[in-house]
Amino acid sequence: MYPAVRKLFFSDCRCAGDPSKNYEELFAKLDTNKDGKVDVSELRAGMAAMGIQTGKRAAQKIISSGDKDKDDGLDFSEFTKYLKEHEKKLRLTFKSLDKNNDGKIDYMEIKQSLADLGMDISKEDAKKILESIDVDGTMSVDWNEWREHFLFNPATSLQEIIRYWKHSTVLDIGDSLTIPDEFTEEEKTTGMWWKQLMAGAMAGAVSRTGTAPLDRMKVFMQVHASKSNKISLVGGFKQMLKEGGVTSLWRGNGINVLKIAPETAIKFMAYERYKKLLASEPGKIQTHERFMAGSLAGATAQTAIYPMEVMKTRLTLRKTGQYSGMFDCAKKILKKEGVKAFYKGYVPNIIGIIPYAGIDLAVYESLKNIWLSKYAKDTANPGVLVLLGCGTISSTCGQLASYPLALIRTRMQAQASLEGSEQLPMGRMVKKILEKEGFFGLYRGILPNFMKVIPAVSISYVVYENMRSGLGLQK
């Protein structure tokens, strides 16, 4: 694979050799200008000369993580310290993958390790991952092959695949019904999980604020549009601007952003608890168990924050002067309609979790596995466009399936605040819509809903990546 590194580190006499001497020889080879330190360009050139294939930012990552005195290079002590620490991490990862402790990793152990992290791959895909590391063609990887492959790769494990293919943490399209992401043991113990959730929450807040006018238009059309009262996008926006000015386009956005934090936290904690309860074997979770745990976690979070959902709909649809703010809205609903009003539309909302989360998960997993089997030759990193494309397609499919239930939920939440509106239960409301407007009556407001998907995904991804950098998370 790269003979120079193998010769220095993995020769047959390595046990008798002095590791620090090997480090010295390698350092001397990389330090081409002989200034006593290895900088990014020297490391990049040296790795290329040795035939080591790495990602674009690999050299920069190695220098940044080892450079303690911040002089943009590694002196000999920093260089050896980095390699020793990195080797320790590699050893831990190797041991965690070597399920039967025979000193080798085979493709079934790779498959099992990824399944434990909530990602099912085929035997063929597991073999492809193994082949990319296996030097001697034995279809198993021993410690020396493993160390050789990853020594100059800042990634320390196959868990990179999981990190690259995170889905719900990265994208926020306004709905929070996706199955939560899996976090590796390393992410849980180092505290990276809460930083990732925080980055995701901030991305969601900015994304929802950026697409709030389209979200308000969607709710407006869901509640008010009908065959007799046709509302176009342009006409709807004109009506809103005339009634409340430019700021009225952001009505309901405050509470929509505010509910992200409690919902994310409750969902994550509930998901971890349900996984333990539902897993057929401790520490291992199958796809169907993950789906059940995710759906139950979503239902738990929705139950806890549902009054905020009702208030969001009421505040979004409010007329100028109707409510002075969130607390005034809650007080008026409680006084006029009682506590029950805060759970109007709850049943269709909970039922909607199943088709949304199920289809979103199934489509995303299918697209991910297709990409991994066809294109994951040198890296598990699919790149930004593939990642966003898969996430957008899967979420859109999930929305399409659950949209009629979302429309029924919104109408039930809003009906008490509409003058002369009949208070209908779910079944009768569906029947009435189908009789008066036909099947497509259940898809009122779908156009502004789909229009906000691409900007929402783009904004949330950009903010998420910047937040990750700011919080010191690995790219």
Side-chain angles (χ1 to χ4, degrees), residues 15 17 25 29 35 45 75 78 90-91 117 122 144 170 217 224 278 335 338 389 399 415-416 423:
C15 298
E25 287 177 39
K29 198 174 183 72
D35 64 348
D75 58 32
E78 288 172 332
L90 291 177
R91 172 67 82 178
L117 291 163
S122 66
N144 292 315
V170 184
M217 175 55 69
H224 295 298
L278 293 168
K335 192 178 176 184
Q399 277 194 338
Q415 59 188 359
Q423 304 284 304

Side-chain angles (χ1 to χ4, degrees), residues 169 193-203 264 464 467 471:
T169 311
W193 65 272
W194 70 262
K195 289 183 179 180
Q196 291 200 29
L197 288 179
M198 188 193 272
M202 184 57 74
T264 304
Y464 181 74
M467 280 296 292
L471 292 166

Side-chain angles (χ1 to χ4, degrees), residues 138-156:
T138 57
M139 281 311 286
S140 66
V141 172
D142 62 20
W143 161 240
N144 292 315
E145 286 176 307
W146 179 263
R147 180 173 57 169
E148 178 180 349
H149 183 81
F150 286 110
L151 190 69
F152 280 106
N153 190 331
T156 51

Side-chain angles (χ1 to χ4, degrees), residues 332-391:
K332 283 180 178 170
I333 292 171
L334 193 64
K335 192 178 176 184
K336 195 178 172 186
E337 302 164 56
V339 178
K340 271 171 71 178
F342 289 108
Y343 280 88
K344 280 185 176 168
Y346 175 76
V347 175
N349 185 61
I350 294 297
I351 297 169
I353 290 172
I354 306 295
Y356 187 108
I359 289 167
D360 177 53
L361 180 68
V363 173
Y364 191 75
E365 290 293 314
S366 302
L367 293 170
K368 175 171 73 177
N369 288 333
I370 288 166
W371 189 90
L372 282 168
S373 63
K374 288 192 175 179
Y375 305 105
K377 292 180 178 75
D378 301 317
T379 175
N381 186 358
V384 175
L385 288 176
V386 174
L387 193 64
L388 295 188
C390 291

Side-chain angles (χ1 to χ4, degrees), residues 217-375:
M217 175 55 69
K218 177 195 78 175
V219 175
F220 199 75
M221 289 170 90
Q222 281 178 333
V223 175
H224 295 298
S226 64
K227 271 189 177 176
S228 56
N229 182 32
K230 287 183 178 174
I231 300 171
S232 68
L233 267 178
V234 177
F237 278 124
K238 276 183 181 174
Q239 208 175 321
M240 286 179 195
L241 289 167
K242 190 180 174 186
E243 194 276 326
V246 176
T247 53
S248 72
L249 299 178
W250 274 267
R251 279 179 189 169
N253 182 57
I255 197 159
N256 197 27
V257 166
L258 205 63
K259 69 185 173 75
I260 294 172
E263 186 170 14
T264 304
I266 294 164
K267 194 160 142 186
F268 173 70
M269 289 186 288
Y271 182 56
E272 291 299 314
R273 179 66 56 194
Y274 287 128
K275 269 200 307 183
K276 284 177 186 169
L277 291 171
L278 293 168
S280 47
E281 289 180 64
K284 295 177 185 177
I285 187 153
Q286 306 298 321
T287 303
H288 69 279
E289 291 165 347
R290 186 175 168 230
F291 167 63
M292 284 166 63
S295 298
L296 286 168
T300 304
Q302 281 288 303
T303 303
I305 61 106
Y306 195 75
M308 295 175 89
E309 292 279 2
V310 174
M311 285 167 64
K312 183 240 170 186
T313 299
R314 296 289 181 92
L315 287 162
T316 301
L317 293 166
R318 79 182 189 268
K319 291 185 171 73
T320 304
Q322 191 175 349
Y323 305 117
S324 60
M326 279 182 249
F327 292 110
D328 184 50
C329 174
K331 204 164 74 179
K332 283 180 178 170
I333 292 171
L334 193 64
K335 192 178 176 184
K336 195 178 172 186
E337 302 164 56
V339 178
K340 271 171 71 178
F342 289 108
Y343 280 88
K344 280 185 176 168
Y346 175 76
V347 175
N349 185 61
I350 294 297
I351 297 169
I353 290 172
I354 306 295
Y356 187 108
I359 289 167
D360 177 53
L361 180 68
V363 173
Y364 191 75
E365 290 293 314
S366 302
L367 293 170
K368 175 171 73 177
N369 288 333
I370 288 166
W371 189 90
L372 282 168
S373 63
K374 288 192 175 179
Y375 305 105

